[in-house]
Amino acid sequence: MSAQLINGKEVSQKRLQAVAEAVAQRQQNNLHTPCLAVVLVGGDPASAVYVRNKKTACQKCGIKSLSYELPESTSQEELLALVDRLNADSEVDGILIQLPLPKHLDSQAVLERISPDKDVDGFHPYNVGRLAVKMPLMRPCTPKGVMTLLEAYGIDPKGKKAVVVGASNIVGRPQALELLLARATVTICHSATENLADEVAGADILVVGVGIPNFVKGGWIKPGAVVIDVGINRLDDGSLCGDVEFETAKERAAMITPVPGGVGPMTIATLMENTLHAASLHDA
Ligand code: GUN
């Protein structure tokens, strides 16, 4: 049997539409138009594509976007000074620093400089901590987008065994916190995990974000599992593939996300939701 495909593109379009309606409603109520500042440092081509997609999503939703494209040679002090300016600018609701930053910059220090109420990526330790203590404010976009997808397909993690493969700050760790908040029994696997195949085999819900093409083999997956593949890897032939071996996995899973068209569009839709949320925090 072949798994049902989880269509992130379709779900994300509905969510973007809902954000657009909420922004229009704000305008009718004479509330300010949400505004996202997008910062790109250097010329990484993949980052340039992501940033362009984020700005396009803003346009679709009626969110104002401000674009800052800085040269590779930007210093830590210059970048921190820009964050300070954006923090102080009352027009700006959200600040997004596209990662990865060039190697000479200290990403963590930059992320920690963003005001937590403008941290639409949810990467500031304040926001990660709030998620950890069951009081989320700004939630990291990819993990929250995954939860939105599960909900859209009627999958309630409560009481289920959820396994997260990858323990990054952007995906794995906050994903585990989201699944725990939704009352799953959560296991986090990482590069020091022994017997990864056995851990994966226990998962009712499997979320994989490691950035290695076809890392999780289809044969490891529990029959009937829900498989969420966060990976987007470009192969030498130019095609995209996920972190899960899709062709074999779909013969065992009940539901699976494709790559592309699964989690990717949800990250951007969630960024728009977070920007709308930030705007509402700034209404007072
Ligand atoms: N690079 C890869 N994923 C992300 C993300 O979710 N946000 C930002 N800012 N950069 C990223």
Side-chain angles (χ1 to χ4, degrees):
M1 213 190 66
S2 198
Q4 180 186 358
L5 289 187
I6 296 178
N7 189 337
K9 190 144 196 232
E10 186 179 85
V11 176
S12 73
Q13 278 167 354
K14 284 190 192 144
R15 304 293 287 211
L16 288 174
Q17 182 60 34
V19 172
E21 285 164 17
V23 169
Q25 189 63 53
R26 288 181 61 85
Q27 285 159 347
Q28 279 190 4
N29 296 343
N30 291 320
L31 295 169
H32 73 276
T33 299
C35 173
L36 175 65
V38 179
V39 180
L40 174 64
V41 185
D44 177 58
S47 290
V49 172
Y50 291 135
V51 160
R52 197 171 63 230
N53 290 344
K54 288 169 185 180
K55 289 192 280 196
T56 305
C58 283
Q59 267 177 3
K60 278 192 195 154
C61 295
I63 289 174
K64 180 170 179 183
S65 72
L66 304 175
S67 186
Y68 297 86
E69 297 190 1
L70 308 180
E72 183 88 19
S73 59
T74 302
S75 69
Q76 183 78 5
E77 292 66 34
E78 286 167 328
L79 187 52
L80 291 176
L82 173 60
V83 173
D84 288 344
R85 270 206 336 269
L86 296 172
N87 281 339
D89 185 341
S90 63
E91 193 197 5
V92 173
D93 291 303
I95 303 170
L96 181 132
I97 312 282
Q98 186 62 34
L99 302 177
L101 288 172
K103 285 202 171 41
H104 66 280
L105 296 172
D106 176 351
S107 306
Q108 198 56 33
V110 174
L111 296 178
E112 290 193 38
R113 194 72 159 237
I114 298 172
S115 291
D117 57 296
K118 297 192 177 188
D119 173 34
V120 285
D121 257 328
F123 293 159
H124 193 292
Y126 174 86
N127 281 316
V128 181
R130 287 200 67 117
L131 181 58
V133 296
K134 302 179 280 186
M135 295 165 64
L137 183 69
M138 291 291 170
R139 303 159 80 151
C141 298
T142 299
K144 182 165 172 245
V146 167
M147 301 312 285
T148 303
L149 261 190
L150 293 177
E151 195 188 349
Y153 279 80
I155 301 154
D156 182 359
K158 184 177 170 189
K160 302 264 169 46
K161 287 195 164 52
V163 175
V164 179
V165 181
S168 69
N169 288 345
I170 293 182
V171 179
R173 281 164 201 262
Q175 187 68 70
L177 291 173
E178 285 285 354
L179 287 160
L180 182 60
L181 189 61
R183 310 204 61 220
T185 301
V186 184
T187 301
I188 310 174
C189 301
H190 44 75
S191 54
T193 296
E194 294 180 4
N195 300 323
L196 178 62
D198 289 347
E199 299 293 346
V200 167
D204 301 311
I205 299 172
L206 176 68
V207 183
V208 185
V210 291
I212 303 172
N214 302 316
F215 179 71
V216 167
K217 307 303 171 201
W220 300 354
I221 287 164
K222 180 172 172 175
V226 173
V227 177
I228 307 290
D229 190 347
V230 179
I232 304 179
N233 307 292
R234 194 167 289 284
L235 300 179
D236 290 340
D237 68 1
S239 65
L240 293 177
C241 85
D243 292 348
V244 177
E245 199 180 66
F246 182 79
E247 290 304 324
T248 48
K250 82 175 195 315
E251 296 309 319
R252 291 172 73 93
M255 295 188 190
I256 188 166
T257 55
V259 177
V263 174
M266 294 304 299
T267 298
I268 295 188
T270 307
L271 176 66
M272 298 300 108
E273 293 178 334
N274 283 357
T275 305
L276 176 66
H277 180 49
S280 74
L281 296 176
H282 299 142
D283 280 341

